[in-house]
PDB file of all heavy atoms in Angstrom:
ATOM      1  N   ILE B 384     131.776  87.667  82.729  1.00 97.00           N
ATOM      2  CA  ILE B 384     131.391  86.351  83.227  1.00 97.00           C
ATOM      3  C   ILE B 384     130.367  85.880  82.308  1.00 97.00           C
ATOM      4  O   ILE B 384     129.432  86.516  81.912  1.00 97.00           O
ATOM      5  CB  ILE B 384     130.873  86.513  84.691  1.00 97.00           C
ATOM      6  CG1 ILE B 384     131.935  87.009  85.685  1.00 97.00           C
ATOM      7  CG2 ILE B 384     130.315  85.161  85.138  1.00 97.00           C
ATOM      8  CD1 ILE B 384     131.561  87.114  87.085  1.00 97.00           C
ATOM      9  N   THR B 385     130.546  84.589  81.943  1.00 96.00           N
ATOM     10  CA  THR B 385     129.544  83.905  81.069  1.00 96.00           C
ATOM     11  C   THR B 385     128.708  82.981  81.775  1.00 96.00           C
ATOM     12  O   THR B 385     127.596  82.616  81.379  1.00 96.00           O
ATOM     13  CB  THR B 385     130.256  83.200  79.914  1.00 96.00           C
ATOM     14  OG1 THR B 385     131.112  82.228  80.433  1.00 96.00           O
ATOM     15  CG2 THR B 385     130.925  84.101  78.971  1.00 96.00           C
ATOM     16  N   ASP B 386     129.164  82.465  82.960  1.00 96.00           N
ATOM     17  CA  ASP B 386     128.307  81.506  83.733  1.00 96.00           C
ATOM     18  C   ASP B 386     128.907  81.397  85.148  1.00 96.00           C
ATOM     19  O   ASP B 386     130.030  81.747  85.362  1.00 96.00           O
ATOM     20  CB  ASP B 386     128.303  80.129  83.068  1.00 96.00           C
ATOM     21  CG  ASP B 386     127.094  79.281  83.442  1.00 96.00           C
ATOM     22  OD1 ASP B 386     126.397  79.751  84.328  1.00 96.00           O
ATOM     23  OD2 ASP B 386     126.983  78.116  82.899  1.00 96.00           O
ATOM     24  N   THR B 387     128.084  80.906  86.067  1.00 97.00           N
ATOM     25  CA  THR B 387     128.498  80.617  87.390  1.00 97.00           C
ATOM     26  C   THR B 387     128.113  79.200  87.774  1.00 97.00           C
ATOM     27  O   THR B 387     127.132  78.689  87.258  1.00 97.00           O
ATOM     28  CB  THR B 387     127.961  81.693  88.472  1.00 97.00           C
ATOM     29  OG1 THR B 387     126.593  81.407  88.601  1.00 97.00           O
ATOM     30  CG2 THR B 387     128.150  83.067  87.910  1.00 97.00           C
ATOM     31  N   PHE B 388     128.692  78.704  88.824  1.00 97.00           N
ATOM     32  CA  PHE B 388     128.406  77.376  89.217  1.00 97.00           C
ATOM     33  C   PHE B 388     128.303  77.264  90.809  1.00 97.00           C
ATOM     34  O   PHE B 388     128.800  78.173  91.462  1.00 97.00           O
ATOM     35  CB  PHE B 388     129.527  76.402  88.705  1.00 97.00           C
ATOM     36  CG  PHE B 388     129.685  76.429  87.260  1.00 97.00           C
ATOM     37  CD1 PHE B 388     130.618  77.329  86.736  1.00 97.00           C
ATOM     38  CD2 PHE B 388     128.986  75.659  86.400  1.00 97.00           C
ATOM     39  CE1 PHE B 388     130.694  77.491  85.323  1.00 97.00           C
ATOM     40  CE2 PHE B 388     129.108  75.741  85.067  1.00 97.00           C
ATOM     41  CZ  PHE B 388     129.938  76.611  84.475  1.00 97.00           C
ATOM     42  N   GLY B 389     127.689  76.172  91.273  1.00 96.00           N
ATOM     43  CA  GLY B 389     127.539  75.987  92.683  1.00 96.00           C
ATOM     44  C   GLY B 389     125.980  76.184  92.976  1.00 96.00           C
ATOM     45  O   GLY B 389     125.441  77.192  92.703  1.00 96.00           O
ATOM     46  N   TYR B 390     125.423  75.137  93.632  1.00 92.00           N
ATOM     47  CA  TYR B 390     123.955  75.239  93.826  1.00 92.00           C
ATOM     48  C   TYR B 390     123.589  76.045  95.056  1.00 92.00           C
ATOM     49  O   TYR B 390     122.849  77.031  94.933  1.00 92.00           O
ATOM     50  CB  TYR B 390     123.333  73.781  93.922  1.00 92.00           C
ATOM     51  CG  TYR B 390     121.862  73.725  93.963  1.00 92.00           C
ATOM     52  CD1 TYR B 390     121.095  74.339  92.975  1.00 92.00           C
ATOM     53  CD2 TYR B 390     121.177  73.144  95.088  1.00 92.00           C
ATOM     54  CE1 TYR B 390     119.739  74.294  93.008  1.00 92.00           C
ATOM     55  CE2 TYR B 390     119.810  73.092  95.079  1.00 92.00           C
ATOM     56  CZ  TYR B 390     119.065  73.660  94.054  1.00 92.00           C
ATOM     57  OH  TYR B 390     117.678  73.650  94.083  1.00 92.00           O
ATOM     58  N   LYS B 391     124.147  75.682  96.211  1.00 93.00           N
ATOM     59  CA  LYS B 391     123.738  76.476  97.388  1.00 93.00           C
ATOM     60  C   LYS B 391     124.730  77.590  97.699  1.00 93.00           C
ATOM     61  O   LYS B 391     124.559  78.275  98.682  1.00 93.00           O
ATOM     62  CB  LYS B 391     123.526  75.554  98.596  1.00 93.00           C
ATOM     63  CG  LYS B 391     122.295  74.693  98.474  1.00 93.00           C
ATOM     64  CD  LYS B 391     122.209  73.696  99.561  1.00 93.00           C
ATOM     65  CE  LYS B 391     121.201  72.534  99.092  1.00 93.00           C
ATOM     66  NZ  LYS B 391     121.503  71.340  99.884  1.00 93.00           N
ATOM     67  N   ARG B 392     125.825  77.577  96.997  1.00 96.00           N
ATOM     68  CA  ARG B 392     126.774  78.630  97.145  1.00 96.00           C
ATOM     69  C   ARG B 392     127.729  78.658  95.945  1.00 96.00           C
ATOM     70  O   ARG B 392     128.066  77.561  95.429  1.00 96.00           O
ATOM     71  CB  ARG B 392     127.636  78.263  98.367  1.00 96.00           C
ATOM     72  CG  ARG B 392     128.868  79.208  98.652  1.00 96.00           C
ATOM     73  CD  ARG B 392     128.428  80.416  99.366  1.00 96.00           C
ATOM     74  NE  ARG B 392     129.587  81.297  99.619  1.00 96.00           N
ATOM     75  CZ  ARG B 392     130.214  81.349 100.846  1.00 96.00           C
ATOM     76  NH1 ARG B 392     129.822  80.600 101.813  1.00 96.00           N
ATOM     77  NH2 ARG B 392     131.218  82.178 100.999  1.00 96.00           N
ATOM     78  N   ILE B 393     128.028  79.795  95.443  1.00 97.00           N
ATOM     79  CA  ILE B 393     128.853  79.853  94.211  1.00 97.00           C
ATOM     80  C   ILE B 393     130.199  79.187  94.504  1.00 97.00           C
ATOM     81  O   ILE B 393     130.825  79.393  95.597  1.00 97.00           O
ATOM     82  CB  ILE B 393     129.006  81.344  93.785  1.00 97.00           C
ATOM     83  CG1 ILE B 393     129.741  81.424  92.472  1.00 97.00           C
ATOM     84  CG2 ILE B 393     129.813  82.148  94.853  1.00 97.00           C
ATOM     85  CD1 ILE B 393     129.612  82.820  91.846  1.00 97.00           C
ATOM     86  N   ASN B 394     130.716  78.455  93.572  1.00 97.00           N
ATOM     87  CA  ASN B 394     132.040  77.833  93.712  1.00 97.00           C
ATOM     88  C   ASN B 394     132.938  78.062  92.490  1.00 97.00           C
ATOM     89  O   ASN B 394     134.114  77.736  92.538  1.00 97.00           O
ATOM     90  CB  ASN B 394     131.960  76.331  94.124  1.00 97.00           C
ATOM     91  CG  ASN B 394     131.214  75.594  93.071  1.00 97.00           C
ATOM     92  OD1 ASN B 394     131.165  75.918  91.894  1.00 97.00           O
ATOM     93  ND2 ASN B 394     130.584  74.448  93.472  1.00 97.00           N
ATOM     94  N   LYS B 395     132.395  78.531  91.451  1.00 97.00           N
ATOM     95  CA  LYS B 395     133.206  78.721  90.226  1.00 97.00           C
ATOM     96  C   LYS B 395     132.559  79.644  89.279  1.00 97.00           C
ATOM     97  O   LYS B 395     131.267  79.687  89.183  1.00 97.00           O
ATOM     98  CB  LYS B 395     133.341  77.337  89.535  1.00 97.00           C
ATOM     99  CG  LYS B 395     134.436  77.278  88.442  1.00 97.00           C
ATOM    100  CD  LYS B 395     134.602  75.819  87.961  1.00 97.00           C
ATOM    101  CE  LYS B 395     133.439  75.339  87.058  1.00 97.00           C
ATOM    102  NZ  LYS B 395     133.672  74.058  86.469  1.00 97.00           N
ATOM    103  N   ILE B 396     133.369  80.412  88.490  1.00 97.00           N
ATOM    104  CA  ILE B 396     132.787  81.193  87.396  1.00 97.00           C
ATOM    105  C   ILE B 396     133.580  80.854  86.116  1.00 97.00           C
ATOM    106  O   ILE B 396     134.656  80.419  86.186  1.00 97.00           O
ATOM    107  CB  ILE B 396     132.855  82.703  87.660  1.00 97.00           C
ATOM    108  CG1 ILE B 396     134.360  83.157  87.800  1.00 97.00           C
ATOM    109  CG2 ILE B 396     132.144  83.044  88.918  1.00 97.00           C
ATOM    110  CD1 ILE B 396     134.554  84.640  87.821  1.00 97.00           C
ATOM    111  N   SER B 397     132.878  81.106  85.007  1.00 97.00           N
ATOM    112  CA  SER B 397     133.562  81.067  83.680  1.00 97.00           C
ATOM    113  C   SER B 397     133.539  82.479  83.152  1.00 97.00           C
ATOM    114  O   SER B 397     132.585  83.195  83.280  1.00 97.00           O
ATOM    115  CB  SER B 397     132.753  80.200  82.749  1.00 97.00           C
ATOM    116  OG  SER B 397     132.723  78.919  83.133  1.00 97.00           O
ATOM    117  N   ILE B 398     134.725  82.769  82.532  1.00 97.00           N
ATOM    118  CA  ILE B 398     134.851  84.167  81.893  1.00 97.00           C
ATOM    119  C   ILE B 398     135.291  83.992  80.501  1.00 97.00           C
ATOM    120  O   ILE B 398     135.962  83.040  80.179  1.00 97.00           O
ATOM    121  CB  ILE B 398     135.714  85.077  82.755  1.00 97.00           C
ATOM    122  CG1 ILE B 398     137.172  84.537  82.775  1.00 97.00           C
ATOM    123  CG2 ILE B 398     135.248  85.258  84.205  1.00 97.00           C
ATOM    124  CD1 ILE B 398     138.155  85.602  83.285  1.00 97.00           C
ATOM    125  N   LYS B 399     134.938  85.032  79.737  1.00 97.00           N
ATOM    126  CA  LYS B 399     135.468  85.069  78.319  1.00 97.00           C
ATOM    127  C   LYS B 399     135.627  86.521  77.931  1.00 97.00           C
ATOM    128  O   LYS B 399     135.073  87.457  78.588  1.00 97.00           O
ATOM    129  CB  LYS B 399     134.361  84.447  77.426  1.00 97.00           C
ATOM    130  CG  LYS B 399     134.571  82.956  77.192  1.00 97.00           C
ATOM    131  CD  LYS B 399     133.722  82.552  75.941  1.00 97.00           C
ATOM    132  CE  LYS B 399     134.027  81.057  75.640  1.00 97.00           C
ATOM    133  NZ  LYS B 399     133.315  80.600  74.505  1.00 97.00           N
ATOM    134  N   GLN B 400     136.411  86.750  76.913  1.00 97.00           N
ATOM    135  CA  GLN B 400     136.618  88.102  76.478  1.00 97.00           C
ATOM    136  C   GLN B 400     135.472  88.716  75.694  1.00 97.00           C
ATOM    137  O   GLN B 400     134.778  87.900  75.009  1.00 97.00           O
ATOM    138  CB  GLN B 400     137.854  88.038  75.512  1.00 97.00           C
ATOM    139  CG  GLN B 400     138.677  89.336  75.719  1.00 97.00           C
ATOM    140  CD  GLN B 400     139.996  89.215  74.950  1.00 97.00           C
ATOM    141  OE1 GLN B 400     140.442  88.105  74.490  1.00 97.00           O
ATOM    142  NE2 GLN B 400     140.607  90.341  74.838  1.00 97.00           N
TER     143      GLN B 400
END
Side-chain angles (χ1 to χ4, degrees):
Chain B
I384 295 181
T385 54
D386 201 356
T387 71
F388 304 88
Y390 187 55
K391 287 173 202 159
R392 175 82 179 262
I393 188 167
N394 58 27
K395 191 172 78 174
I396 61 168
S397 296
I398 64 171
K399 270 192 172 183
Q400 215 170 346

